[in-house]
């Protein structure tokens, strides 16, 4: 297991009033992914480029004998991709029996978020962002976007 | 669903498949008692089980069917097609009910009374003729009055069990049919006392006819004992096992990769062992997935039978190689295409008996289905002796559907045109039958076969029949692939698609040329379209600047005189970039075959081959046609697997139907032995020369100091004789010292040598002499290995030496009996090999004959019908379709050529051949290369004939 895994609290994922989310950072913005969807957290990996693939697809990599398709979330969100990807991290998720690794800037903590602090995604949000957002969670210091992972993956097309 | 019902369904569907095949056999073989008993047993089992499970509809039909089958078995009723059709109808009904049962879990609503009535009618029809089984009718009546059959049967079974217990130890333990027949009566007795008397009377006579077949039934269990050797395993379990093995193979590959990097390690021995074990395991698991192809064929006899009934044709289906095994996944995938094609052969191919008789064929048409292994592939051939594909009709259809223009068609061979049937929307059937002619079909078949990495080809002769050849890989799960690199990225290409590899160079023979920017390559005598992997995958752009320029760079060197200039350019380029020529010097062309279409993929590097496990690509990448999957290499890297079909498609206009015909021509010419082995050499000027290898007896290096002069000619002492030497051309510079290569020709006991500059190669090709040469000693020019090559007329050289030199010896030259006699004599030369046609025609013309050629015996006969007259016919013996003997027989038997003398030509004449030749009417027999003899024989024959 990766060193980053130690940050994940594998505790109960679904209390009565709160859910656990793995927080990630993309361009200073904090996002949350339901912790049960997360399979793995990886440091920057060498990927095989896939010609003709959608621009969001960074490539594919071998994770313990399984082929994982890497998706660059920055690109999906319409953000510039940094040339230096050595500090990138990825979160591996499973969707429809296939593994995808979401390439992001940084992985944060696992937070237990109370259900009552949820808000709908504001309609005025950039459509690229709105599409992959399940809702906004108001934390004390910042706003956390809950990421709709299946939708994010499905929205990647050739 | 009820477990019992599920089990019953599995069991029954297997039985029914067998039954279909058995019944067709029975129809052909009505007296096969074993077969009858077997069929009866199956139906009986179905009937018994469904009664037990409470499936009244099924049971009703099965019961009636069994009754009729019982009559067959007892020999009361003759097995006729009509009856068998009704039995089939019952089977279909049973199948229908079963399929509904499988879906819904219960029998569908419906009424079988009509079918039951039909069966009953057959059954009843016998009672009037045979009073012996009159007693049985009462059972029948019982059904009619609606007695509860399942109850009767339960009672019957019960009785049967009792009887079996009584008969314990007796030899009849297998005779369940007899027991049941007996117990039928008993059962009825108990349940329906009213009929007891009648039945009792009936019982003894019924029993007697039953006895005989039962005793023969004892042969049955032998086959069955095989069943205990196998067990039923759920397909999922096997699939799972296969996946695990695939993973294991990958891990093994990784370990081996690590091992290769480390020299001395304790792991090497156990790893080698692991390697072997994994290989064996892989093979073993693969075997579990293997199924005989016969499984996919099981339905075909029935289909053909129904087809022949429907269309009033007589068709015989022969199946060879049913045991050939292939992966069940592939088996599933080819089942439908195969069925479709066999049906097509029956419907389109085989004619009606009348048509067949009129065409001089046997009344019964034959469809032959054959499967065999060939080099990692399974070959399936479907051959029919029907009417073949009508080229004209296809041509019209192609024109009217706008698939090709008249111009394009005029350049195509018949074979090429016939291949249009693989295009969508082209059906040659004049009328649409229920079976075919709807214009969907062969294109779907082709697509399906290509999908699994196979290919399909056809050979068809109008009036004679067609042969479809399907080539499919043994398995799809683990394939061997070649790893290539382009723009620094590695890709895998399935080895099956790769025909050959060519390494290109900047100039010289192996360079890539361009036509308006499109790269092409001359591969032997044909142009190979090329695609650059870099370009189709659009991976060049982000690469360092030199890479995208690589292809155009090479292409600049089209014309030879530009070589120097471009070499300079190259240097400039080299100066500009740090990594110069090496990059384009080592370009490779992967010659790939998709169906019958060849094209080349330009790649930068080629690595080794590796066994890879094909894993499907992620769903979001499914739409990229260029890849068929991905895999993990031994070094742990993920690599994309290229899909040759996708690449071919992406390059546009790559219509396989109009594709490289030469390729298939090559196949045919192999058969027709049109190919000639040629010796290529250089002499005089730079252009290569070719001479048929067969006429060259030896190649020698002769030292110049050994060459002597005699009679103003160069001679050399060779094998105890003086051999004259001539330089190939007068302009040829012969070196002062050293040695020269010499082609030695031996003719009878004479020999001579031709001095050449350099011997290049020996190649086997079909040659097509295009330009008739003006020059002496040259037959013409042909493209050989991509170059214009002069084809040498050996005769000329032999001649020049013969007349001038051998005249002094007493060996008589072919100076024949007066050229005047020969002038204007008409010769028909029948010869299938274009090479010899080209070789002999000028020879004969030079000797003063007027030569007409025919490519084969059939064409020659056409000339005969046209009323052409010749003075002499010279015919080859070994020819496709109609050989020389048959040709001669036809002519001598009845034609206006009856009195024309015939000479036989053959490359290997045995005394028997000669005798046979004389028998069928050849005047003389001449070996093909014996030019003198031929001319002598000709003049002799002609003078005789005149005399």
């Amino acid at each position: 297991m990766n060193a980053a895994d130690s940050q994940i609290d594998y505790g109960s994922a679904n209390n009565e009033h709160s859910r656990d989310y793995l927080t990630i950072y993309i361009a200073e913005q904090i996002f949350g992914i339901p912790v049960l969807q997360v399979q793995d957290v990886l440091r920057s990996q060498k990927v095989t480029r896939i010609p003709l693939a959608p621009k969001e697809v960074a490539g594919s990599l071998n994770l313990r004998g399984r082929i994982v398709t890497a998706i660059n979330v920055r690109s999906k969100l319409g953000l510039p991709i940094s040339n230096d990807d050595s500090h990138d991290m990825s979160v591996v998720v499973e969707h429809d029996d296939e593994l995808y690794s979401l390439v992001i800037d940084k992985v944060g903590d696992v937070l237990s978020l109370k259900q009552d602090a949820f808000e709908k995604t504001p309609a005025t949000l950039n459509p690229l962002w709105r599409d992959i957002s399940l809702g906004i969670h108001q934390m004390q210091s910042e706003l956390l976007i809950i990421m709709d992972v299946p939708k994010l993956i499905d929205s990647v097309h050739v | 669903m009820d477990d019992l019902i599920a089990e019953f369904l599995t069991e029954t569907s297997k039985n029914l498949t067998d039954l279909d095949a058995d019944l067709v056999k029975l129809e052909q073989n009505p007296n096969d008692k074993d077969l009858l008993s077997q069929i009866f047993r199956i139906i009986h089992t179905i009937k018994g089980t469904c009664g037990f499970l409470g499936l009244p509809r099924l049971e009703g039909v099965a019961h009636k069917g069994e009754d009729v089958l019982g009559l067959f078995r007892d020999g009361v009723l003759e097995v006729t097609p009509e009856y068998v059709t009704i039995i089939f109808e019952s089977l279909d009904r049973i199948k229908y009910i079963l399929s509904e049962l499988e879906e819904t879990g219960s029998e569908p609503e419906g009424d079988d009374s009509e079918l039951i009535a039909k069966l009953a009618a057959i059954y009843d029809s016998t009672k009037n003729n045979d009073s012996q089984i009159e007693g049985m009718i009462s059972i029948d009546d019982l059904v009619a009055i609606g007695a509860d059959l399942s109850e009767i049967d339960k009672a019957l079974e019960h009785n049967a069990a009792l009887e079996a217990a009584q008969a314990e130890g007796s030899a009849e333990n297998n005779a369940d049919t007899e027991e049941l027949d007996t117990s039928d009566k008993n059962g009825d007795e108990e349940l329906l006392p009213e009929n007891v008397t009648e039945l009792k009377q009936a019982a003894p006579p019924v029993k007697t006819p039953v006895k005989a077949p039962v005793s023969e039934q004892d042969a049955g269990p032998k086959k069955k004992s095989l069943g205990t050797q196998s067990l039923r395993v759920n397909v999922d379990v096997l699939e799972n096992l296969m996946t695990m093995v695939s993973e294991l193979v990958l891990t093994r590959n990784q370990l081996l990769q690590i091992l290769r990097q480390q020299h001395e390690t304790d792991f090497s021995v156990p790893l080698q062992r692991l390697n072997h074990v994994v290989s064996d395991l892989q093979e073993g698991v693969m075997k579990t997935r293997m199924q005989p192809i016969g499984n996919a064929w099981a339905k075909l006899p029935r289909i053909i039978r129904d087809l022949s009934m429907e269309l009033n044709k007589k068709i015989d289906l022969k199946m060879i190689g049913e045991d050939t095994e292939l992966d069940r996944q592939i088996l599933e995938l080819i089942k439908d295409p195969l069925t479709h094609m066999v049906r097509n052969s029956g419907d389109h191919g085989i004619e009606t008996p009348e048509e067949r008789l009129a065409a001089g064929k046997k009344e019964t048409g034959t469809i032959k289905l054959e499967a065999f292994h060939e080099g990692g592939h399974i070959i399936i051939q479907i051959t029919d002796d029907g009417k073949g594909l009508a080229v004209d009709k296809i041509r019209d259809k192609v024109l009217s559907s706008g698939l090709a223009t008249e111009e394009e068609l005029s350049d195509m061979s018949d074979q090429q045109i016939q291949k249009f049937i693989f295009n969508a929307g082209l059906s040659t059937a004049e009328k649409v039958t229920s079976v075919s002619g709807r214009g969907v079909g062969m294109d779907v078949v082709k697509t399906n076969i290509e999908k699994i990495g196979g290919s399909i080809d056809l050979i068809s002769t109008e009036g004679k029949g067609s042969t479809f050849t399907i080539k499919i890989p043994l398995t799809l799960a683990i394939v061997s692939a070649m790893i290539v690199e382009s723009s620094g990225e590695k890709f895998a290409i399935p080895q099956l698609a790769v025909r050959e590899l060519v390494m290109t160079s900047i100039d010289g023979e192996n360079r890539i040329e361009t036509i308006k920017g499109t790269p092409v390559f001359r591969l032997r005598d044909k142009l190979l379209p090329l695609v650059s992997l870099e370009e189709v995958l659009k991976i060049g752009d982000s690469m360092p600047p030199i890479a995208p320029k690589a292809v155009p760079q090479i292409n600049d060197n089209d014309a030879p005189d530009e070589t120097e200039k471009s070499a300079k350019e190259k240097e400039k380029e080299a100066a500009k970039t740090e990594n110069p020529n090496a990059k384009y010097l080592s370009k490779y062309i992967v010659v790939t075959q998709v169906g019958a279409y060849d094209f080349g993929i330009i790649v930068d590097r080629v690595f080794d081959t590796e066994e890879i496990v094909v894993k499907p690509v992620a769903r979001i990448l499914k739409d990229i046609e260029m890849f068929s999957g991905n895999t993990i290499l031994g070094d742990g890297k993920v690599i994309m697997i290229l899909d040759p079909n996708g690449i071919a498609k992406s390059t546009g206009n790559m219509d396989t139907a109009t594709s490289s015909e030469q390729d298939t021509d090559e196949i045919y010419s192999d058969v027709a032995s049109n190919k000639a082995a040629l010796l290529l050499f250089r002499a005089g000027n730079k252009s290569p020369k070719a001479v048929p290898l067969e006429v060259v007896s030896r190649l020698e290096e002769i030292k110049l100091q050994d060459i002597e002069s005699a009679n103003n000619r160069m001679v050399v002492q060779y094998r105890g004789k003086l051999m004259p030497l001539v330089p190939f051309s007068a302009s040829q510079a012969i070196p002062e010292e050293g040695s020269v290569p010499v082609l030695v020709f031996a003719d009878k006991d004479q020999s001579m040598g031709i001095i050449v500059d350099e011997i290049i190669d020996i190649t086997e090709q079909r040659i097509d002499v295009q330009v008739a040469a003006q020059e002496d000693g040259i037959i013409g020019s042909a493209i050989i290995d991509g170059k214009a090559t002069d084809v040498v007329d050996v005769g000329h050289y032999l001649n020049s030496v013969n007349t001038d030199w051998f005249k002094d010896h007493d060996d008589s030259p072919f100076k024949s009996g007066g050229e005047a006699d020969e002038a204007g004599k008409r010769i028909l030369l029948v010869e299938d090999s274009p090479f010899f046609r080209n070789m002999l025609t000028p020879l004969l013309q030079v000797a003063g004959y007027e030569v007409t050629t025919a490519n084969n015996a059939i064409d020659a006969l056409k000339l005969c019908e046209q009323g052409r007259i010749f003075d002499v016919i010279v015919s080859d013996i070994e020819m496709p379709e109609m050989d020389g003997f048959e040709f001669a027989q036809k002519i001598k038997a009845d034609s206006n050529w009856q009195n024309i003398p015939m000479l036989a030509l053959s490359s290997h004449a045995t005394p028997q051949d000669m005798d046979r030749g004389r028998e069928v009417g050849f005047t003389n027999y001449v070996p093909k290369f014996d030019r003198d003899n031929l001319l002598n024989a000709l003049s002799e024959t002609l003078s005789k004939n005149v005399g």
Side-chain angles (χ1 to χ4, degrees):
Chain A
M1 277 278 163
N2 202 292
D5 287 353
S6 58
Q7 294 175 340
I8 302 173
D9 177 9
Y10 280 103
S12 71
N14 203 349
N15 284 340
E16 267 181 61
H17 300 294
S18 63
R19 280 188 180 188
D20 290 351
Y21 290 92
L22 173 69
T23 57
I24 55 172
Y25 292 89
I26 300 159
E28 308 298 312
Q29 170 65 48
I30 185 167
F31 289 83
I33 300 176
V35 87
L36 285 182
Q37 291 180 6
V38 177
Q39 297 260 329
D40 236 312
V41 175
L42 307 171
R43 290 203 182 282
S44 173
Q45 294 276 319
K46 234 189 139 188
V47 296
T48 304
R49 277 207 301 166
I50 303 170
L52 308 174
K55 66 177 190 329
E56 296 92 348
V57 175
S60 51
L61 55 113
N62 168 11
L63 179 67
R64 294 186 289 273
R66 286 189 70 179
I67 295 176
V68 181
T69 310
I71 295 175
N72 200 319
V73 185
R74 267 182 165 267
S75 159
K76 183 68 222 166
L77 294 177
L79 297 167
I81 302 168
S82 60
N83 282 331
D84 176 26
D85 56 5
S86 58
H87 300 297
D88 283 353
M89 298 190 82
S90 356
V91 176
V92 179
V93 294
E94 185 156 4
H95 174 53
D96 281 348
D97 295 335
E98 286 172 352
L99 290 182
Y100 293 89
S101 114
L102 307 176
V103 182
I104 47 151
D105 293 358
K106 198 167 85 176
V107 174
D109 300 328
V110 173
L111 299 177
S112 240
L113 301 177
K114 290 237 160 56
Q115 293 285 26
D116 49 11
F118 259 113
E119 285 287 335
K120 271 193 201 158
T121 315
T124 48
L125 194 67
N126 178 328
L128 284 176
W129 290 56
R130 204 175 55 218
D131 280 353
I132 61 144
S133 163
L134 273 177
I136 309 291
H137 192 274
Q138 303 176 50
M139 296 195 301
Q140 259 180 341
S141 56
E142 50 193 340
L143 296 172
L144 179 145
I145 301 173
I146 307 293
M147 196 180 267
D148 188 343
V149 175
K151 209 167 168 193
L152 177 121
I153 293 169
D154 285 335
S155 68
V156 177
H157 282 298
V158 176
Chain B
M1 202 190 299
D2 194 341
D3 276 357
L4 271 177
I5 293 193
E7 184 68 16
F8 165 72
L9 285 173
T10 328
E11 184 75 37
T12 315
S13 66
K14 166 92 181 65
N15 279 340
L16 284 175
T17 320
D18 291 352
L19 209 54
D20 265 350
D22 286 346
L23 273 171
V24 174
K25 271 191 233 154
L26 179 69
E27 201 176 351
Q28 290 153 359
N29 242 339
N31 296 321
D32 191 334
K33 296 277 184 209
D34 277 351
L35 202 58
L36 261 170
S37 320
Q38 199 177 322
I39 294 170
F40 188 84
R41 254 202 315 270
I42 295 174
I43 282 282
H44 179 77
T45 314
I46 295 174
K47 187 198 78 173
T49 329
C50 56
F52 179 67
L53 292 170
L55 303 166
R57 249 192 102 177
L58 258 187
E59 192 197 349
V61 178
H63 182 89
K64 279 288 146 190
E66 184 194 1
D67 281 350
V68 175
L69 281 171
L71 294 180
F72 289 161
R73 188 194 51 172
D74 300 346
V76 178
L77 204 62
E78 209 181 318
V79 181
T80 66
E82 293 76 38
Y83 291 150
V84 173
T85 304
I86 293 174
I87 297 284
F88 272 138
E89 211 177 303
S90 333
L91 289 186
D92 285 342
R93 187 67 58 90
I94 292 175
K95 277 185 203 161
Y96 162 72
I97 300 174
L98 283 174
S99 70
E100 289 290 313
L101 188 63
E102 198 172 354
E103 268 173 38
T104 63
S106 62
E107 284 190 328
E109 297 289 313
D111 182 26
D112 305 314
S113 54
E114 196 194 336
L115 182 64
I116 291 185
K118 268 194 219 167
L119 289 166
I122 301 175
Y123 190 70
D124 288 348
S125 68
T126 54
K127 82 176 172 192
N128 302 329
N129 308 338
D130 197 335
S131 58
Q132 274 195 324
I133 36 164
E134 210 164 334
M136 301 276 276
I137 303 150
S138 55
I139 304 169
D140 207 45
D141 291 341
L142 291 178
V143 181
I145 58 164
D148 189 347
L149 275 167
S150 61
E151 263 184 53
I152 299 176
D153 267 347
K154 265 180 220 165
L156 295 186
E157 229 116 62
H158 176 70
N159 276 340
L162 281 179
E163 284 226 352
Q166 280 167 9
E168 199 179 41
S170 85
E172 293 181 348
N173 55 352
N174 187 42
D176 55 1
T177 47
E178 188 209 19
E179 280 156 19
L180 273 154
D181 267 301
T182 331
S183 60
D184 258 356
K185 284 84 213 177
N186 296 337
D188 293 343
E189 260 176 80
E190 281 169 26
L191 279 160
L192 301 145
E194 274 180 50
N195 287 313
V196 167
T197 41
E198 254 182 307
L199 278 162
K200 266 192 173 168
Q201 286 163 0
V206 173
K207 211 172 175 180
T208 0
V210 173
K211 272 266 178 180
V214 165
S215 58
E216 278 172 58
Q217 229 172 293
D218 290 342
K222 271 181 219 155
K223 272 185 200 165
K224 273 200 173 167
S225 64
L226 274 176
T228 55
Q229 296 287 321
S230 58
L231 59 135
R232 228 177 265 174
V233 181
N234 193 316
V235 171
D236 290 345
V237 176
L238 290 181
E239 289 294 321
N240 208 3
L241 204 55
M242 189 68 206
T243 320
M244 308 281 269
V245 169
S246 305
E247 294 301 328
L248 194 57
V249 168
L250 287 181
T251 318
R252 188 257 332 248
N253 289 353
Q254 283 173 19
L255 284 173
L256 289 179
Q257 183 89 14
I258 297 168
L259 186 66
R260 257 176 247 141
Q261 286 154 8
Q262 304 190 335
H263 296 290
E264 297 285 320
T265 158
D266 293 343
F267 289 124
S268 62
V269 175
L271 274 179
Q272 285 305 338
R273 237 193 98 55
L274 179 73
N275 182 15
H276 287 139
V277 174
V278 170
S279 301
D280 288 354
L281 184 63
Q282 181 189 336
E283 207 173 294
V285 172
M286 223 62 139
K287 263 190 202 145
T288 63
R289 292 160 55 97
M290 291 299 199
Q291 288 194 314
I293 197 167
N295 288 5
W297 292 356
K299 279 188 193 156
L300 297 177
R302 167 79 193 273
I303 287 169
I304 287 299
R305 184 210 167 261
D306 285 357
L307 197 64
S308 50
M309 297 292 273
E310 189 185 330
L311 303 170
N312 280 326
K313 293 179 179 180
K314 291 193 174 171
I315 307 173
D316 188 13
L317 180 68
K318 277 190 191 149
M319 300 196 283
I320 304 166
E322 287 148 292
D323 299 336
T324 314
E325 290 190 322
L326 74 171
D327 195 287
R328 55 163 290 278
Q329 192 187 357
I330 295 181
L331 195 73
E332 286 301 317
L333 289 167
I334 58 152
K335 217 181 221 174
D336 288 344
L338 265 187
T339 309
H340 186 91
M341 288 175 71
V342 168
R343 203 183 278 166
N344 255 354
S345 292
D347 190 23
H348 297 234
I350 304 290
E351 313 92 326
T352 59
E354 299 78 47
E355 283 169 346
R356 289 187 66 86
L357 286 175
K361 297 184 193 177
K362 271 194 301 181
E363 204 178 12
T364 309
T366 309
I367 298 175
K368 197 171 80 182
L369 199 56
E370 201 173 352
F372 51 93
H373 285 264
E374 194 183 272
H377 284 91
I378 299 260
I379 313 281
I380 304 170
Q381 277 183 335
I382 300 163
T383 312
D384 68 65
D385 62 351
K387 55 178 174 264
L389 291 168
V391 178
D392 295 344
K393 268 188 220 160
I394 299 172
R395 193 197 308 267
D396 294 347
K397 214 46 190 264
V398 168
L399 273 178
S400 64
S401 55
L403 287 169
T405 64
E406 192 129 18
E407 240 177 4
E408 285 165 344
L409 283 174
S410 64
D411 286 342
M412 286 184 198
S413 67
D414 285 359
Q415 297 285 353
Q416 261 171 310
I417 293 170
Q418 282 168 343
K419 288 219 173 103
F420 271 105
I421 63 159
F422 293 122
N423 276 49
L426 207 86
S427 172
T428 50
E430 277 162 31
K431 50 187 174 202
V432 175
T433 65
S434 69
V435 201
S436 42
R438 293 188 209 90
V440 281
M442 292 314 287
D443 59 317
V444 179
V445 168
K446 187 174 149 78
T447 322
N448 282 344
I449 287 169
E450 281 174 2
K451 228 181 254 169
I452 54 172
S455 63
I456 182 166
D457 204 353
L458 90 101
I459 303 174
S460 179
T461 315
E462 208 173 334
K464 298 263 162 147
S466 321
T467 300
F468 289 89
T469 307
I470 303 173
K471 191 173 169 189
I472 42 177
L474 279 178
T475 180
L476 297 178
I478 298 180
V479 299
S480 124
M482 197 168 69
I483 315 297
V484 299
E485 189 185 83
S486 181
S487 287
E489 306 271 339
K490 283 185 186 175
F491 299 94
I493 301 180
Q495 189 94 52
L496 288 173
V498 178
R499 293 243 306 188
E500 60 187 295
L501 279 174
V502 181
M503 190 178 159
T504 64
S505 53
I506 281 203
D507 40 34
E509 288 174 45
N510 290 331
R511 74 203 150 95
I512 298 173
E513 299 170 61
T514 52
I515 304 170
K516 204 166 187 304
T518 310
V520 291
F521 183 77
R522 294 193 218 178
L523 182 67
R524 288 181 283 279
D525 61 342
K526 61 184 187 186
L527 280 184
L528 187 72
L530 295 182
V531 290
S532 159
L533 194 57
E534 202 167 75
E535 278 166 30
V536 288
L537 296 181
K538 305 194 174 76
I539 48 177
D541 306 336
S542 58
M543 284 287 112
I546 42 146
K549 285 227 96 184
V551 175
Q553 259 294 314
I554 296 165
N555 301 335
D556 285 344
N557 310 331
D558 285 24
D561 55 349
E562 274 178 36
T563 318
E564 256 188 53
K565 200 179 90 190
S566 51
K568 275 178 201 159
E569 275 176 9
K570 243 158 40 199
E571 276 171 31
K572 275 186 215 160
E573 278 288 324
K576 272 187 225 160
T577 55
E578 282 197 290
N579 179 13
N581 300 356
K583 187 84 186 172
Y584 6 101
L585 272 171
S586 58
K587 284 265 177 191
Y588 289 87
I589 297 174
V590 181
V591 182
T592 314
Q593 190 179 29
V594 172
Y597 172 71
D598 285 350
F599 66 103
I601 303 174
I602 307 172
V603 299
D604 295 341
R605 287 177 75 189
V606 174
F607 300 91
D608 53 352
T609 58
E610 206 168 304
E611 291 265 285
I612 57 165
V613 179
V614 182
K615 293 170 179 247
V617 289
R619 208 155 300 131
I620 57 169
L621 303 171
K622 275 262 150 55
D623 295 337
I624 311 175
E625 280 191 327
M626 302 296 168
F627 306 117
S628 56
N630 47 17
T631 191
I632 298 170
L633 286 188
D635 59 5
K637 275 213 196 85
V638 177
I639 185 171
M640 302 303 291
I641 303 166
L642 295 171
D643 178 4
N645 287 309
I647 295 177
K649 249 189 241 165
S650 76
T651 54
N653 289 340
M654 288 195 171
D655 190 351
T656 48
T658 57
S659 65
S660 70
E661 200 47 45
Q662 272 136 327
D663 189 47
T664 29
D665 276 355
E666 253 172 46
I667 297 166
Y668 301 133
S669 46
D670 262 343
V671 177
S673 69
N674 277 358
K675 266 190 170 176
L678 298 168
L679 177 82
L680 298 180
F681 63 92
R682 247 188 276 274
N685 51 25
K686 268 197 167 178
S687 69
K689 317 267 187 294
V691 66
L693 191 62
E694 283 170 275
V695 300
V696 180
S697 22
R698 278 176 300 277
L699 298 176
E700 296 284 348
E701 282 277 311
I702 290 182
K703 291 198 184 101
L704 284 161
Q705 68 247 35
D706 292 344
I707 298 178
E708 296 164 66
S709 175
N711 209 2
N712 285 332
R713 290 225 156 224
M714 282 188 280
V715 291
V716 67
Q717 294 180 23
Y718 187 73
R719 301 196 173 190
K721 281 192 171 182
L722 277 183
M723 178 170 80
L725 290 178
V726 279
F728 180 80
S729 74
S731 60
Q732 201 175 335
I734 293 170
E736 298 279 306
E737 52 186 33
S739 57
V740 284
V742 170
L743 315 182
V744 178
F745 298 91
D747 199 29
K748 290 188 189 163
D749 55 349
Q750 314 160 9
S751 58
M752 66 160 297
I754 297 181
I755 302 172
V756 300
D757 290 346
E758 183 195 357
I759 293 185
I760 308 172
D761 199 3
I762 288 171
T763 173
E764 192 165 316
Q765 317 244 316
R766 196 172 54 93
I767 61 164
D768 191 6
V769 180
Q770 290 170 339
V771 188
Q774 300 297 315
E775 215 177 317
D776 275 352
I778 303 285
I779 291 175
S781 305
I783 302 173
I784 294 169
D785 282 355
K787 288 190 169 163
T789 305
D790 293 332
V791 182
V792 175
D793 176 13
V794 182
H796 168 81
Y797 289 92
L798 295 172
N799 215 348
S800 71
V801 176
N802 256 346
T803 43
D804 295 352
W805 174 264
F806 283 110
K807 210 185 270 178
D808 297 344
H809 302 258
D810 62 1
D811 202 352
S812 75
F814 79 98
K815 202 88 177 101
S816 48
E819 268 172 32
D821 284 347
E822 275 138 35
K825 292 281 187 202
R826 292 154 301 181
I827 294 182
L828 174 65
L829 177 63
V830 188
E831 167 65 69
D832 61 301
S833 149
F835 175 76
F836 284 109
R837 278 204 307 277
N838 290 329
M839 180 97 169
L840 291 174
T841 312
L843 190 83
L844 294 171
Q845 278 165 344
V846 168
Y849 297 102
E850 195 179 286
V851 186
T852 308
T853 57
N855 299 357
N856 54 50
I858 293 159
D859 283 2
L861 287 175
K862 275 184 200 150
L863 289 174
C864 176
E865 276 163 32
Q866 285 164 16
R868 296 278 296 273
I869 290 295
F870 299 95
D871 294 307
V872 61
I873 299 167
V874 179
S875 171
D876 188 16
I877 293 300
E878 295 89 13
M879 286 186 290
E881 287 181 40
M882 188 190 291
D883 66 12
F885 297 126
E886 203 184 330
F887 173 58
Q889 259 164 348
K890 280 229 156 99
I891 285 188
K892 293 293 170 192
D894 174 39
S895 82
N896 46 0
W897 285 358
Q898 246 169 350
N899 298 321
I900 301 179
M902 293 182 74
L903 287 182
L905 268 185
S906 175
S907 34
H908 28 77
T910 62
Q912 289 91 330
D913 283 344
M914 294 206 178
D915 289 347
R916 187 160 168 218
R918 289 203 175 89
E919 253 167 52
V920 296
F922 280 110
T923 323
N924 208 339
Y925 206 101
V926 191
K928 244 179 202 181
F929 295 100
D930 205 339
R931 191 195 67 260
D932 290 1
N933 211 334
L934 173 63
L935 292 173
N936 277 336
L938 272 174
S939 60
E940 201 179 295
T941 311
L942 283 169
S943 58
K944 225 188 263 170
N945 215 42
V946 168

